[in-house]
Amino acid sequence: MSKPARKVLIVKTGYSEFLDRGISTTVSLGDVLICTSLLYLYKHDHVTWATSHQARELLEGNALIHELLIFGSEALEKLQQGSFDLLINLEKDIGISTALSRVKAKKRFGFYFSDKTHSIETRKRSTRYLLAGQENHRDIEKNALEILFEAVGKKWDGQGLILGHQKRSRIKYDFGFNHSVGSKWPTKAWSMDYWKELERMLEGKYSVTWQKGHTHLGTYMNWINSCRVIVTSDSLGQAIGSALGKKVITLYGPTNHQRMQNVPNVEVVPSTLKCPHMPCYLPFCKFDKFCMDYISPEKVASLCLQAIK
């Protein structure tokens, strides 16, 4: 006899990132999408997910989310009128955590505001380093999904990301170059000379397309879906590509490549520079050598050819 479905509430807006101590007004869409892996644990339950307006399109159409809410006063009022068997708060925001303390739940995981320490804490000791600043993440050897599953008392078993996006485009290209990076970490960018060199190594035998539609999420997802292989920096394109089942080759320098190590469909390519400051998470490099310059086009081309087979 099957167990009755539980009522599960997941709160992930994207205003805070796993590897960032602060809260930002810029939503980390990649972090939101990464958290969808948890849905595999609750596929037989009734899941309500509260998110930001910016991240809504990433979650719409997801068959494992039964109710999608935009976090705010109206949604919070609705949540406080109900009750849940399980509440998972993945936002280390004081306002959100305090508000969620007034939502009835039999069991809670994730972040909460402690009246004793007057700060944000985690309910699982194994995930306490999620609260640390980026400078304390250099020695982490677990990927983001392992950390997430530990946060709810489970062990990650290779589950991937889930995207509800309806695929509207057919595969047209062998390789997609997701070359653009956001304003937060411009140091994630690979040299344009290297991108052009990679294109020269692949052109003739394979078709290549350059990043399109990144200012419009739906168009951007359709572009990624039109490619067999995505070559990218540590960015949203990496998460979308993985969720869409693409082969993703991700170039890592200033951020920790362990975060996506062994995540389904993702091949991480860390810089070969032996810099004691890596991963530094600096927006601008202040050292003598720049880590992203130590990822060679030849190495990436070799991985591309292996991925396309």
Side-chain angles (χ1 to χ4, degrees):
M1 186 175 179
S2 60
K3 295 181 180 179
R6 296 170 297 177
K7 293 181 65 178
V8 178
L9 171 61
I10 298 176
V11 179
K12 180 61 181 177
T13 64
Y15 291 123
S16 66
E17 294 189 49
F18 296 138
L19 298 183
D20 196 342
R21 182 188 288 115
I23 307 299
S24 174
T25 56
T26 301
V27 170
S28 175
L29 297 176
D31 261 31
V32 174
L33 187 51
I34 285 171
C35 291
T36 60
S37 185
L38 287 179
L39 291 169
Y40 285 104
L41 297 174
Y42 311 113
K43 59 185 178 182
H44 300 302
D45 298 312
H46 185 281
V47 176
T48 297
W49 190 305
T51 193
S52 58
H53 175 76
Q54 297 92 320
R56 180 181 60 188
E57 195 169 355
L58 282 177
L59 302 175
E60 286 178 332
N62 193 313
L64 298 183
I65 298 176
H66 301 86
E67 184 177 25
L68 185 60
L69 301 176
I70 304 304
F71 196 90
S73 57
E74 185 176 333
L76 188 58
E77 182 179 354
K78 181 176 182 179
L79 294 175
Q80 290 175 347
Q81 290 174 353
S83 63
F84 297 87
D85 296 294
L86 180 60
L87 190 159
I88 305 169
N89 176 27
L90 301 173
E91 290 296 321
K92 59 185 81 171
D93 177 87
I94 292 177
I96 290 176
S97 298
T98 302
L100 290 175
S101 67
R102 298 191 292 272
V103 176
K104 300 182 185 70
K106 295 178 182 177
K107 197 168 186 177
R108 299 172 185 265
F109 288 120
F111 300 110
Y112 71 99
F113 181 73
S114 170
D115 292 329
K116 180 182 288 188
T117 63
H118 299 286
S119 62
I120 295 292
E121 303 283 354
T122 55
R123 297 184 183 276
K124 280 286 181 180
R125 183 174 175 80
S126 61
T127 55
R128 65 190 182 281
Y129 52 76
L130 289 179
L131 295 168
Q134 296 150 355
E135 67 275 9
N136 295 320
H137 284 259
R138 293 173 186 156
D139 299 325
I140 292 177
E141 296 180 352
K142 298 177 180 179
N143 69 36
L145 301 185
E146 289 177 284
I147 294 170
L148 270 176
F149 276 64
E150 284 184 6
V152 297
K154 301 293 183 179
K155 184 177 179 180
W156 181 63
D157 193 28
Q159 295 91 335
L161 316 184
I162 305 173
L163 187 63
H165 175 71
Q166 298 298 315
K167 301 177 181 180
R168 299 187 183 92
S169 58
R170 297 179 179 178
I171 293 176
K172 301 177 183 177
Y173 308 98
D174 293 312
F175 297 100
F177 287 1
N178 192 61
H179 65 284
S180 181
V181 298
S183 58
K184 187 172 184 179
W185 281 308
T187 45
K188 289 181 179 181
W190 202 36
S191 164
M192 183 53 65
D193 288 340
Y194 282 4
W195 281 110
K196 291 179 179 178
E197 180 62 22
L198 178 62
E199 183 180 38
R200 284 193 290 271
M201 292 177 178
L202 298 175
E203 67 181 353
K205 190 173 181 181
Y206 300 101
S207 55
V208 173
T209 175
W210 291 74
Q211 186 173 343
K212 297 176 183 176
H214 60 280
T215 57
H216 185 274
L217 190 54
T219 304
Y220 183 47
M221 289 190 283
N222 285 334
W223 171 74
I224 290 175
N225 193 56
S226 72
C227 308
R228 296 182 188 278
V229 180
I230 294 293
V231 185
T232 181
S233 63
D234 176 19
S235 66
L236 172 62
Q238 172 185 222
I240 292 176
S242 175
L244 286 172
K246 305 299 173 180
K247 294 181 179 179
V248 182
I249 298 171
T250 310
L251 316 181
Y252 276 88
T255 54
N256 192 341
H257 70 278
Q258 293 285 357
R259 190 169 69 98
M260 294 295 283
Q261 186 78 52
N262 298 321
V263 170
N265 308 316
V266 176
E267 173 88 22
V268 299
V269 187
S271 168
T272 59
L273 178 63
K274 304 300 181 183
C275 175
H277 306 285
M278 291 172 60
C280 65
Y281 288 91
L282 292 174
F284 301 99
C285 183
K286 60 181 182 180
F287 307 112
D288 294 334
K289 297 178 179 179
F290 179 43
C291 56
M292 292 299 288
D293 289 341
Y294 286 77
I295 302 175
S296 72
E298 291 78 10
K299 170 67 173 177
V300 180
S302 175
L303 293 172
C304 285
L305 296 178
Q306 292 176 35
I308 205 69
K309 290 179 180 178

